[in-house]
PDB file of all heavy atoms in Angstrom:
ATOM      1  N   PHE A  16      90.967 -14.095 -74.810  1.00  0.00           N
ATOM      2  CA  PHE A  16      89.766 -13.312 -75.104  1.00  0.00           C
ATOM      3  C   PHE A  16      89.394 -13.494 -76.561  1.00  0.00           C
ATOM      4  O   PHE A  16      90.221 -13.294 -77.458  1.00  0.00           O
ATOM      5  CB  PHE A  16      90.031 -11.833 -74.808  1.00  0.00           C
ATOM      6  CG  PHE A  16      88.804 -10.959 -74.861  1.00  0.00           C
ATOM      7  CD1 PHE A  16      87.896 -10.937 -73.815  1.00  0.00           C
ATOM      8  CD2 PHE A  16      88.563 -10.134 -75.947  1.00  0.00           C
ATOM      9  CE1 PHE A  16      86.776 -10.124 -73.848  1.00  0.00           C
ATOM     10  CE2 PHE A  16      87.444  -9.321 -76.004  1.00  0.00           C
ATOM     11  CZ  PHE A  16      86.549  -9.317 -74.950  1.00  0.00           C
ATOM     12  N   GLN A  17      88.149 -13.894 -76.804  1.00  0.00           N
ATOM     13  CA  GLN A  17      87.675 -14.123 -78.169  1.00  0.00           C
ATOM     14  C   GLN A  17      86.320 -13.461 -78.362  1.00  0.00           C
ATOM     15  O   GLN A  17      85.343 -13.823 -77.704  1.00  0.00           O
ATOM     16  CB  GLN A  17      87.546 -15.612 -78.459  1.00  0.00           C
ATOM     17  CG  GLN A  17      86.929 -15.940 -79.822  1.00  0.00           C
ATOM     18  CD  GLN A  17      87.778 -15.503 -80.995  1.00  0.00           C
ATOM     19  OE1 GLN A  17      88.894 -15.983 -81.147  1.00  0.00           O
ATOM     20  NE2 GLN A  17      87.266 -14.592 -81.824  1.00  0.00           N
ATOM     21  N   GLN A  22      78.352  -6.091 -83.439  1.00  0.00           N
ATOM     22  CA  GLN A  22      77.514  -5.236 -84.261  1.00  0.00           C
ATOM     23  C   GLN A  22      77.852  -3.801 -83.906  1.00  0.00           C
ATOM     24  O   GLN A  22      77.596  -3.351 -82.790  1.00  0.00           O
ATOM     25  CB  GLN A  22      76.026  -5.497 -84.024  1.00  0.00           C
ATOM     26  CG  GLN A  22      75.125  -4.669 -84.933  1.00  0.00           C
ATOM     27  CD  GLN A  22      73.669  -5.048 -84.783  1.00  0.00           C
ATOM     28  OE1 GLN A  22      73.278  -5.703 -83.818  1.00  0.00           O
ATOM     29  NE2 GLN A  22      72.844  -4.644 -85.732  1.00  0.00           N
ATOM     30  N   LEU A  29      84.066 -14.348 -75.154  1.00  0.00           N
ATOM     31  CA  LEU A  29      84.417 -15.304 -74.117  1.00  0.00           C
ATOM     32  C   LEU A  29      85.785 -14.915 -73.563  1.00  0.00           C
ATOM     33  O   LEU A  29      86.744 -14.753 -74.312  1.00  0.00           O
ATOM     34  CB  LEU A  29      84.476 -16.721 -74.678  1.00  0.00           C
ATOM     35  CG  LEU A  29      83.163 -17.290 -75.216  1.00  0.00           C
ATOM     36  CD1 LEU A  29      83.405 -18.677 -75.817  1.00  0.00           C
ATOM     37  CD2 LEU A  29      82.101 -17.356 -74.130  1.00  0.00           C
ATOM     38  N   VAL A  37      84.399 -16.616 -68.646  1.00  0.00           N
ATOM     39  CA  VAL A  37      83.429 -15.553 -68.398  1.00  0.00           C
ATOM     40  C   VAL A  37      82.821 -15.111 -69.725  1.00  0.00           C
ATOM     41  O   VAL A  37      83.545 -14.788 -70.670  1.00  0.00           O
ATOM     42  CB  VAL A  37      84.094 -14.357 -67.692  1.00  0.00           C
ATOM     43  CG1 VAL A  37      83.096 -13.221 -67.492  1.00  0.00           C
ATOM     44  CG2 VAL A  37      84.700 -14.794 -66.362  1.00  0.00           C
ATOM     45  N   GLY A  49      85.502 -10.172 -49.678  1.00  0.00           N
ATOM     46  CA  GLY A  49      85.398 -11.562 -50.100  1.00  0.00           C
ATOM     47  C   GLY A  49      83.986 -12.087 -50.101  1.00  0.00           C
ATOM     48  O   GLY A  49      83.759 -13.234 -50.490  1.00  0.00           O
ATOM     49  N   GLN A  60      76.460 -18.754 -57.527  1.00  0.00           N
ATOM     50  CA  GLN A  60      76.554 -19.717 -58.622  1.00  0.00           C
ATOM     51  C   GLN A  60      75.175 -20.042 -59.177  1.00  0.00           C
ATOM     52  O   GLN A  60      75.001 -20.175 -60.397  1.00  0.00           O
ATOM     53  CB  GLN A  60      77.250 -20.992 -58.150  1.00  0.00           C
ATOM     54  CG  GLN A  60      78.728 -20.815 -57.855  1.00  0.00           C
ATOM     55  CD  GLN A  60      79.405 -22.120 -57.507  1.00  0.00           C
ATOM     56  OE1 GLN A  60      79.546 -23.026 -58.345  1.00  0.00           O
ATOM     57  NE2 GLN A  60      79.832 -22.249 -56.254  1.00  0.00           N
ATOM     58  N   HIS A  73      90.840  -3.125 -48.223  1.00  0.00           N
ATOM     59  CA  HIS A  73      90.184  -3.687 -47.052  1.00  0.00           C
ATOM     60  C   HIS A  73      90.710  -5.099 -46.728  1.00  0.00           C
ATOM     61  O   HIS A  73      90.951  -5.417 -45.553  1.00  0.00           O
ATOM     62  CB  HIS A  73      88.673  -3.711 -47.251  1.00  0.00           C
ATOM     63  CG  HIS A  73      88.058  -2.346 -47.254  1.00  0.00           C
ATOM     64  ND1 HIS A  73      88.031  -1.543 -46.139  1.00  0.00           N
ATOM     65  CD2 HIS A  73      87.465  -1.622 -48.254  1.00  0.00           C
ATOM     66  CE1 HIS A  73      87.445  -0.386 -46.423  1.00  0.00           C
ATOM     67  NE2 HIS A  73      87.090  -0.413 -47.699  1.00  0.00           N
ATOM     68  N   LEU A 111      88.067   7.571 -49.298  1.00  0.00           N
ATOM     69  CA  LEU A 111      88.712   7.925 -48.026  1.00  0.00           C
ATOM     70  C   LEU A 111      89.659   9.107 -48.208  1.00  0.00           C
ATOM     71  O   LEU A 111      90.679   9.203 -47.525  1.00  0.00           O
ATOM     72  CB  LEU A 111      89.475   6.716 -47.461  1.00  0.00           C
ATOM     73  CG  LEU A 111      88.661   5.473 -47.114  1.00  0.00           C
ATOM     74  CD1 LEU A 111      89.580   4.358 -46.614  1.00  0.00           C
ATOM     75  CD2 LEU A 111      87.592   5.783 -46.074  1.00  0.00           C
ATOM     76  N   LEU A 114      91.238  10.903 -45.452  1.00  0.00           N
ATOM     77  CA  LEU A 114      92.194  10.150 -44.642  1.00  0.00           C
ATOM     78  C   LEU A 114      93.450   9.792 -45.436  1.00  0.00           C
ATOM     79  O   LEU A 114      94.275   9.001 -44.961  1.00  0.00           O
ATOM     80  CB  LEU A 114      91.552   8.858 -44.122  1.00  0.00           C
ATOM     81  CG  LEU A 114      90.333   9.012 -43.211  1.00  0.00           C
ATOM     82  CD1 LEU A 114      89.718   7.647 -42.913  1.00  0.00           C
ATOM     83  CD2 LEU A 114      90.718   9.709 -41.906  1.00  0.00           C
ATOM     84  N   GLN A 125      95.171   6.885 -43.439  1.00  0.00           N
ATOM     85  CA  GLN A 125      94.975   6.759 -41.999  1.00  0.00           C
ATOM     86  C   GLN A 125      93.804   5.827 -41.779  1.00  0.00           C
ATOM     87  O   GLN A 125      92.720   6.029 -42.331  1.00  0.00           O
ATOM     88  CB  GLN A 125      94.692   8.113 -41.354  1.00  0.00           C
ATOM     89  CG  GLN A 125      94.458   8.034 -39.850  1.00  0.00           C
ATOM     90  CD  GLN A 125      94.143   9.391 -39.246  1.00  0.00           C
ATOM     91  OE1 GLN A 125      94.192  10.413 -39.920  1.00  0.00           O
ATOM     92  NE2 GLN A 125      93.800   9.395 -37.974  1.00  0.00           N
ATOM     93  N   ILE A 152      94.011  -8.635 -61.775  1.00  0.00           N
ATOM     94  CA  ILE A 152      94.401  -7.656 -60.771  1.00  0.00           C
ATOM     95  C   ILE A 152      94.564  -6.301 -61.448  1.00  0.00           C
ATOM     96  O   ILE A 152      94.835  -6.214 -62.649  1.00  0.00           O
ATOM     97  CB  ILE A 152      95.689  -8.063 -60.032  1.00  0.00           C
ATOM     98  CG1 ILE A 152      96.884  -8.113 -60.991  1.00  0.00           C
ATOM     99  CG2 ILE A 152      95.506  -9.415 -59.362  1.00  0.00           C
ATOM    100  CD1 ILE A 152      98.214  -8.448 -60.297  1.00  0.00           C
ATOM    101  N   PRO A 166      92.444  21.531 -63.149  1.00  0.00           N
ATOM    102  CA  PRO A 166      92.956  20.814 -64.323  1.00  0.00           C
ATOM    103  C   PRO A 166      94.370  20.294 -64.126  1.00  0.00           C
ATOM    104  O   PRO A 166      94.739  19.265 -64.700  1.00  0.00           O
ATOM    105  CB  PRO A 166      92.891  21.863 -65.441  1.00  0.00           C
ATOM    106  CG  PRO A 166      92.850  23.179 -64.754  1.00  0.00           C
ATOM    107  CD  PRO A 166      92.139  22.950 -63.466  1.00  0.00           C
ATOM    108  N   GLU A 171      98.524  15.885 -63.656  1.00  0.00           N
ATOM    109  CA  GLU A 171      99.449  15.155 -62.794  1.00  0.00           C
ATOM    110  C   GLU A 171      99.062  13.691 -62.693  1.00  0.00           C
ATOM    111  O   GLU A 171      99.908  12.784 -62.819  1.00  0.00           O
ATOM    112  CB  GLU A 171      99.457  15.800 -61.412  1.00  0.00           C
ATOM    113  CG  GLU A 171     100.269  15.057 -60.360  1.00  0.00           C
ATOM    114  CD  GLU A 171     100.098  15.672 -58.976  1.00  0.00           C
ATOM    115  OE1 GLU A 171      98.937  15.778 -58.502  1.00  0.00           O
ATOM    116  OE2 GLU A 171     101.120  16.043 -58.372  1.00  0.00           O
ATOM    117  N   THR A 173      97.254  11.817 -64.689  1.00  0.00           N
ATOM    118  CA  THR A 173      97.353  11.083 -65.947  1.00  0.00           C
ATOM    119  C   THR A 173      98.747  10.501 -66.131  1.00  0.00           C
ATOM    120  O   THR A 173      98.918   9.302 -66.420  1.00  0.00           O
ATOM    121  CB  THR A 173      97.001  11.997 -67.126  1.00  0.00           C
ATOM    122  OG1 THR A 173      95.652  12.456 -66.982  1.00  0.00           O
ATOM    123  CG2 THR A 173      97.139  11.258 -68.453  1.00  0.00           C
ATOM    124  N   GLN A 193      98.020 -14.461 -63.129  1.00  0.00           N
ATOM    125  CA  GLN A 193      97.145 -13.310 -62.902  1.00  0.00           C
ATOM    126  C   GLN A 193      97.391 -12.262 -63.984  1.00  0.00           C
ATOM    127  O   GLN A 193      98.534 -11.927 -64.290  1.00  0.00           O
ATOM    128  CB  GLN A 193      97.424 -12.685 -61.534  1.00  0.00           C
ATOM    129  CG  GLN A 193      97.154 -13.597 -60.346  1.00  0.00           C
ATOM    130  CD  GLN A 193      97.560 -12.927 -59.041  1.00  0.00           C
ATOM    131  OE1 GLN A 193      98.744 -12.750 -58.754  1.00  0.00           O
ATOM    132  NE2 GLN A 193      96.572 -12.513 -58.249  1.00  0.00           N
ATOM    133  N   PHE A 196      95.643  -5.423 -65.314  1.00  0.00           N
ATOM    134  CA  PHE A 196      94.960  -4.452 -66.169  1.00  0.00           C
ATOM    135  C   PHE A 196      95.377  -3.033 -65.775  1.00  0.00           C
ATOM    136  O   PHE A 196      95.293  -2.667 -64.601  1.00  0.00           O
ATOM    137  CB  PHE A 196      93.436  -4.554 -66.005  1.00  0.00           C
ATOM    138  CG  PHE A 196      92.781  -5.688 -66.747  1.00  0.00           C
ATOM    139  CD1 PHE A 196      93.493  -6.815 -67.133  1.00  0.00           C
ATOM    140  CD2 PHE A 196      91.423  -5.631 -67.034  1.00  0.00           C
ATOM    141  CE1 PHE A 196      92.867  -7.859 -67.797  1.00  0.00           C
ATOM    142  CE2 PHE A 196      90.791  -6.665 -67.698  1.00  0.00           C
ATOM    143  CZ  PHE A 196      91.512  -7.787 -68.084  1.00  0.00           C
ATOM    144  N   GLY A 202      90.453  12.284 -66.586  1.00  0.00           N
ATOM    145  CA  GLY A 202      89.279  13.098 -66.307  1.00  0.00           C
ATOM    146  C   GLY A 202      88.378  13.186 -67.515  1.00  0.00           C
ATOM    147  O   GLY A 202      88.193  12.215 -68.259  1.00  0.00           O
ATOM    148  N   GLN A 213      97.095   6.214 -75.199  1.00  0.00           N
ATOM    149  CA  GLN A 213      98.292   5.904 -75.982  1.00  0.00           C
ATOM    150  C   GLN A 213      99.369   5.275 -75.101  1.00  0.00           C
ATOM    151  O   GLN A 213      99.967   4.249 -75.459  1.00  0.00           O
ATOM    152  CB  GLN A 213      98.838   7.160 -76.642  1.00  0.00           C
ATOM    153  CG  GLN A 213     100.121   6.927 -77.436  1.00  0.00           C
ATOM    154  CD  GLN A 213     100.685   8.205 -78.029  1.00  0.00           C
ATOM    155  OE1 GLN A 213     100.056   9.250 -78.011  1.00  0.00           O
ATOM    156  NE2 GLN A 213     101.901   8.119 -78.566  1.00  0.00           N
ATOM    157  N   GLN A 214      99.607   5.867 -73.943  1.00  0.00           N
ATOM    158  CA  GLN A 214     100.671   5.365 -73.083  1.00  0.00           C
ATOM    159  C   GLN A 214     100.364   3.965 -72.555  1.00  0.00           C
ATOM    160  O   GLN A 214     101.241   3.106 -72.508  1.00  0.00           O
ATOM    161  CB  GLN A 214     100.896   6.340 -71.921  1.00  0.00           C
ATOM    162  CG  GLN A 214     101.488   7.673 -72.353  1.00  0.00           C
ATOM    163  CD  GLN A 214     101.706   8.634 -71.190  1.00  0.00           C
ATOM    164  OE1 GLN A 214     101.198   8.424 -70.086  1.00  0.00           O
ATOM    165  NE2 GLN A 214     102.455   9.702 -71.429  1.00  0.00           N
ATOM    166  N   VAL A 216      98.193   1.655 -73.830  1.00  0.00           N
ATOM    167  CA  VAL A 216      98.126   0.661 -74.907  1.00  0.00           C
ATOM    168  C   VAL A 216      99.534   0.248 -75.330  1.00  0.00           C
ATOM    169  O   VAL A 216      99.773  -0.922 -75.686  1.00  0.00           O
ATOM    170  CB  VAL A 216      97.313   1.205 -76.094  1.00  0.00           C
ATOM    171  CG1 VAL A 216      97.454   0.292 -77.311  1.00  0.00           C
ATOM    172  CG2 VAL A 216      95.836   1.328 -75.716  1.00  0.00           C
ATOM    173  N   GLU A 232      79.467  13.121 -62.343  1.00  0.00           N
ATOM    174  CA  GLU A 232      79.432  13.904 -63.582  1.00  0.00           C
ATOM    175  C   GLU A 232      78.128  13.670 -64.336  1.00  0.00           C
ATOM    176  O   GLU A 232      77.412  12.709 -64.083  1.00  0.00           O
ATOM    177  CB  GLU A 232      80.623  13.545 -64.478  1.00  0.00           C
ATOM    178  CG  GLU A 232      80.555  12.169 -65.123  1.00  0.00           C
ATOM    179  CD  GLU A 232      81.051  11.050 -64.228  1.00  0.00           C
ATOM    180  OE1 GLU A 232      81.363  11.321 -63.050  1.00  0.00           O
ATOM    181  OE2 GLU A 232      81.121   9.894 -64.706  1.00  0.00           O
ATOM    182  N   LEU A 248      91.020   1.729 -77.436  1.00  0.00           N
ATOM    183  CA  LEU A 248      91.566   0.509 -76.855  1.00  0.00           C
ATOM    184  C   LEU A 248      91.621  -0.624 -77.883  1.00  0.00           C
ATOM    185  O   LEU A 248      90.850  -0.631 -78.848  1.00  0.00           O
ATOM    186  CB  LEU A 248      90.720   0.085 -75.649  1.00  0.00           C
ATOM    187  CG  LEU A 248      90.829   1.004 -74.428  1.00  0.00           C
ATOM    188  CD1 LEU A 248      89.803   0.614 -73.359  1.00  0.00           C
ATOM    189  CD2 LEU A 248      92.245   0.967 -73.835  1.00  0.00           C
ATOM    190  N   VAL A 256      84.762  -1.149 -67.528  1.00  0.00           N
ATOM    191  CA  VAL A 256      84.330   0.192 -67.131  1.00  0.00           C
ATOM    192  C   VAL A 256      84.044   0.160 -65.637  1.00  0.00           C
ATOM    193  O   VAL A 256      83.142  -0.535 -65.182  1.00  0.00           O
ATOM    194  CB  VAL A 256      83.082   0.653 -67.914  1.00  0.00           C
ATOM    195  CG1 VAL A 256      82.749   2.095 -67.548  1.00  0.00           C
ATOM    196  CG2 VAL A 256      83.338   0.555 -69.402  1.00  0.00           C
ATOM    197  N   ARG A 269      77.585  -0.781 -73.208  1.00  0.00           N
ATOM    198  CA  ARG A 269      77.695  -1.931 -74.104  1.00  0.00           C
ATOM    199  C   ARG A 269      77.621  -1.482 -75.553  1.00  0.00           C
ATOM    200  O   ARG A 269      78.381  -1.953 -76.403  1.00  0.00           O
ATOM    201  CB  ARG A 269      76.590  -2.947 -73.819  1.00  0.00           C
ATOM    202  CG  ARG A 269      76.734  -4.192 -74.673  1.00  0.00           C
ATOM    203  CD  ARG A 269      75.741  -5.261 -74.284  1.00  0.00           C
ATOM    204  NE  ARG A 269      76.020  -6.495 -75.010  1.00  0.00           N
ATOM    205  CZ  ARG A 269      75.582  -6.775 -76.238  1.00  0.00           C
ATOM    206  NH1 ARG A 269      74.848  -5.892 -76.875  1.00  0.00           N
ATOM    207  NH2 ARG A 269      75.879  -7.908 -76.824  1.00  0.00           N
ATOM    208  N   THR A 283      80.477  -4.101 -62.555  1.00  0.00           N
ATOM    209  CA  THR A 283      80.242  -4.698 -63.901  1.00  0.00           C
ATOM    210  C   THR A 283      81.426  -4.748 -64.864  1.00  0.00           C
ATOM    211  O   THR A 283      82.273  -3.926 -64.731  1.00  0.00           O
ATOM    212  CB  THR A 283      79.188  -3.895 -64.691  1.00  0.00           C
ATOM    213  OG1 THR A 283      78.220  -3.432 -63.863  1.00  0.00           O
ATOM    214  CG2 THR A 283      78.609  -4.692 -65.784  1.00  0.00           C
TER     215      THR A 283
END
Side-chain angles (χ1 to χ4, degrees):
F16 189 78
Q17 175 65 62
Q22 183 174 16
L29 296 177
V37 177
Q60 291 185 67
H73 291 293
L111 298 178
L114 299 173
Q125 179 182 355
I152 64 177
E171 174 187 56
T173 299
Q193 298 176 289
F196 281 22
Q213 178 183 350
Q214 292 180 346
V216 169
E232 71 276 5
L248 291 172
V256 185
R269 184 173 187 275
T283 324

